[in-house]
């Protein structure tokens, strides 16, 4: 029997299932199935993130080399005040590249390419650009296997999980936020929730995108209504029609 993908593609389904179990609220969200463990969407997404990671880390490294002050988003909640300019970027690079090297060693050991006694490379190297690109290339070469067969491939993509896909997404987001290359979305004013009528509808940043559009969810803990963008648009159209008819 197929199992639901543990990736963020199923965040909406898992949240809806939790609401069903807690409150009996029915939903019509279908899960994305693993192929056989993780879905093709999550595999493709993390491949693209790994491909972009060397360039992002190079941008992070420029800050450390130039000695500029750390951006606030670069602290990732762990550094309050750098003791020297560029410290935050250097620590971020060392952490990400060290974890990449550990995952590379884990995968190659699991596949019988490396001996169990072989240790991962250090997080830093004299030619850091080639070092990072080399690790990323090895991970990409084995990524299809890792996403379906790694012992942790069935773990949810939560913080600090060992799922290869979850790790890649965590590295990518940290580097993206540090360089401030992530999209800054405008705040949108939404209509009242059709279920609880409260002003709690938001575009979710946690749930799986549908045709490039985010889910709309109600943040009222007693409601938790979830809609696709198409469902929300139909609701707003009907709401406007009823307002016009009443007027």
């Amino acid at each position: 029997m197929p199992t639901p993908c543990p990736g963020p593609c199923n965040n909406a389904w898992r949240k809806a299932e939790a609401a069903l179990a807690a409150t009996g609220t029915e939903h019509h969200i279908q899960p994305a199935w693993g192929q056989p463990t993780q879905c093709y969407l999550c595999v493709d997404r993390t491949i693209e993130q790994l491909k972009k990671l060397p360039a992002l880390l190079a941008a992070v490294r420029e800050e450390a080399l130039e000695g500029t002050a750390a951006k606030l988003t670069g602290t990732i909640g762990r550094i309050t005040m750098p003791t020297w300019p560029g410290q935050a970027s250097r620590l971020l690079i060392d952490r990400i590249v060290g974890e990449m090297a550990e995952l590379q060693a884990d995968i190659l050991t699991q596949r019988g390419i490396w001996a169990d006694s072989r240790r991962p490379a250090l997080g830093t190297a004299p030619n850091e650009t080639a070092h990072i690109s080399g690790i990323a290339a090895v991970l990409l070469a084995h990524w299809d296997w890792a996403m379906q067969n790694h012992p942790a491939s069935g773990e949810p993509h939560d913080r600090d999980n060992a799922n290869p896909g979850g790790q890649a997404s965590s590295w990518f987001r940290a580097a993206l936020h540090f360089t401030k290359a992530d999209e800054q979305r405008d705040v949108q004013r939404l209509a009242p929730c059709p279920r609880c009528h409260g002003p709690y509808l938001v575009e979710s940043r946690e749930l799986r995108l549908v045709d490039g559009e985010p889910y709309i969810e109600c943040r009222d803990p007693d409601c938790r209504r979830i809609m696709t963008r198409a469902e929300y648009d139909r609701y707003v159209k009907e709401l406007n029609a009823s307002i016009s008819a009443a007027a």
Side-chain angles (χ1 to χ4, degrees), residues 147-222:
M147 289 290 281
Q148 310 300 352
N149 300 288
H150 188 277
S153 61
E155 293 183 9
H157 290 208
D158 297 329
R159 186 179 178 86
D160 299 326
N161 75 92
N163 190 312
Q167 292 188 67
S169 293
S170 174
W171 303 330
F172 178 78
R173 287 194 304 269
L176 196 69
H177 293 169
F178 192 95
T179 58
K180 293 187 176 178
D182 53 318
E183 178 185 3
Q184 302 297 315
R185 297 169 66 184
D186 294 333
V187 176
Q188 182 181 8
R189 198 172 181 86
L190 298 178
C193 175
R195 177 181 291 157
C196 69
H197 307 296
Y200 309 114
L201 288 182
V202 296
E203 284 191 351
S204 176
R205 297 190 179 189
E206 303 170 1
L207 307 184
R208 174 188 179 187
L209 295 179
V210 180
D211 297 328
E213 297 288 348
Y215 275 96
I216 307 297
E217 63 173 330
C218 180
R219 289 293 175 86
D220 186 326
D222 296 323

Side-chain angles (χ1 to χ4, degrees), residues 19 28 39-40 57 73 108 123 135 150 164 166 193 207 226 238 243:
H28 302 287
C39 71
Y40 295 139
L57 290 175
T73 51
L108 294 180
I135 296 174
H150 188 277
C193 175
L207 307 184
I226 299 173
E238 293 168 359
I243 293 173

Side-chain angles (χ1 to χ4, degrees), residues 38-175:
Q38 304 194 60
C39 71
Y40 295 139
L41 176 67
C42 284
V43 174
D44 291 343
R45 174 178 49 80
T46 51
I47 284 175
E48 289 305 310
Q49 290 172 340
L50 277 176
K51 287 180 178 178
K52 295 175 182 177
L53 198 54
L56 278 173
L57 290 175
V60 174
R61 188 172 67 252
E62 284 301 313
E63 181 173 304
L65 294 176
E66 296 298 327
T68 54
K71 298 181 179 67
L72 293 177
T73 51
T75 64
I76 55 175
R78 304 194 317 168
I79 306 164
T80 55
M81 181 62 68
T83 57
W84 45 267
Q87 182 191 38
S89 56
R90 187 68 257 169
L91 290 176
L92 178 64
I93 292 168
D94 290 346
R95 178 180 72 83
I96 291 177
V97 178
E99 291 177 2
M100 290 173 65
E102 289 179 3
L103 181 59
Q104 172 191 241
D106 184 26
I107 291 172
L108 294 180
T109 302
Q110 292 278 346
R111 305 206 73 180
I113 299 171
W114 280 11
D116 292 343
S117 58
R118 185 163 177 176
R119 310 279 12 114
L122 296 175
T124 57
N127 188 342
E128 196 165 46
T129 298
H131 180 59
I132 293 171
S133 297
I135 296 174
V138 172
L139 291 176
L140 286 167
H142 297 272
W143 202 246
D144 285 335
W145 178 91
M147 289 290 281
Q148 310 300 352
N149 300 288
H150 188 277
S153 61
E155 293 183 9
H157 290 208
D158 297 329
R159 186 179 178 86
D160 299 326
N161 75 92
N163 190 312
Q167 292 188 67
S169 293
S170 174
W171 303 330
F172 178 78
R173 287 194 304 269

